[in-house]
Amino acid sequence: KGFKGGYHDYLIDVEGLQKFLNSEYLSKATGSLNGETQIESQAGKLSGKGKLNLTNAKVGGVDVGYPIVLDYDLSSDVAAGLVQIAAATLKLGETPLSVTGTINTNPTPIEVDLNLKTGDVSIAEVARLASAFGIAFSPDTTVVGKMVGDVRARGPVSNLALNGTVSGRDLQISGKNVPQP
């Protein structure tokens, strides 16, 4: 029939979550995940609102250096494997990123159609996370400055197509692999 749940608190070790989800994307991550969520279920449809906090995050042995917080409002058609993100704010330290869109969990790999937006925010936290995942910059590289972004990510997570704009200003990049700042 369905249920309405109150808020539930939990604490999850990321390494345990990796084993449960068997995810290559989490395979490099460690830390602690805690949060609060309110879940409702009706006729195979789930909805949830809440907040997740990832602390002491390390990716591939690189300390991210700040907490990661996700405030979310989403719904899911469980049978179809579709998750609709009505609104989500991902905070990388003090840097907020807005996310909306859909995730299709049925195909392998998972497919997404997500819109990511930022206001005029610091690029330091985004650059630090990118370096931890090995996407850009080495872990000892320091990046400072401001950025504004509006990007759409579509397709399988293993081969995303990105479209949109990202602009930066007052950028400074320094580190032992950068010949001059």
Side-chain angles (χ1 to χ4, degrees), residues 71-88:
D71 285 305
Y72 59 89
D73 179 356
L74 52 87
S75 59
S76 176
D77 182 332
V78 177
L82 293 175
V83 177
Q84 177 70 42
I85 302 169

Side-chain angles (χ1 to χ4, degrees), residues 6-173:
Y7 277 95
H8 301 280
D9 293 319
Y10 46 86
L11 175 63
I12 300 169
D13 180 73
V14 173
E15 291 169 306
L17 184 61
Q18 291 169 354
K19 292 175 186 169
F20 176 73
L21 295 176
N22 193 23
S23 170
E24 67 178 280
Y25 302 103
L26 290 177
S27 66
K28 298 179 181 180
T30 62
S32 295
L33 185 65
N34 66 39
E36 178 179 274
T37 190
Q38 183 174 14
I39 300 172
E40 294 184 17
S41 172
Q42 189 69 30
K45 311 273 193 224
L46 288 174
S47 63
K49 293 180 183 182
K51 185 177 195 172
L52 296 174
N53 301 292
L54 177 60
T55 56
N56 303 318
K58 289 185 180 181
V59 179
V62 176
D63 187 358
V64 173
Y66 52 81
I68 299 173
V69 178
L70 175 64
D71 285 305
Y72 59 89
D73 179 356
L74 52 87
S75 59
S76 176
D77 182 332
V78 177
L82 293 175
V83 177
Q84 177 70 42
I85 302 169
T89 301
L90 179 66
K91 285 184 78 179
L92 306 174
E94 294 300 315
T95 302
L97 306 172
S98 170
V99 181
T100 59
T102 59
I103 301 170
N104 186 342
T105 63
N106 277 340
T108 302
I110 294 170
E111 292 186 0
V112 300
D113 184 356
L114 299 173
N115 294 303
L116 300 103
K117 294 182 181 183
T118 71
D120 189 20
V121 297
S122 169
I123 196 170
E125 287 88 358
V126 175
R128 181 74 180 153
L129 191 61
S131 73
F133 275 102
I135 296 170
F137 312 113
S138 64
D140 67 340
T141 302
T142 301
V143 181
V144 297
K146 294 288 194 172
M147 66 175 269
V148 175
D150 186 354
V151 176
R152 184 173 185 187
R154 290 183 83 182
V157 293
S158 61
N159 189 26
L160 284 177
L162 301 174
N163 187 23
T165 58
V166 176
S167 61
R169 64 178 169 80
D170 302 324
L171 296 177
Q172 294 182 3
I173 303 170

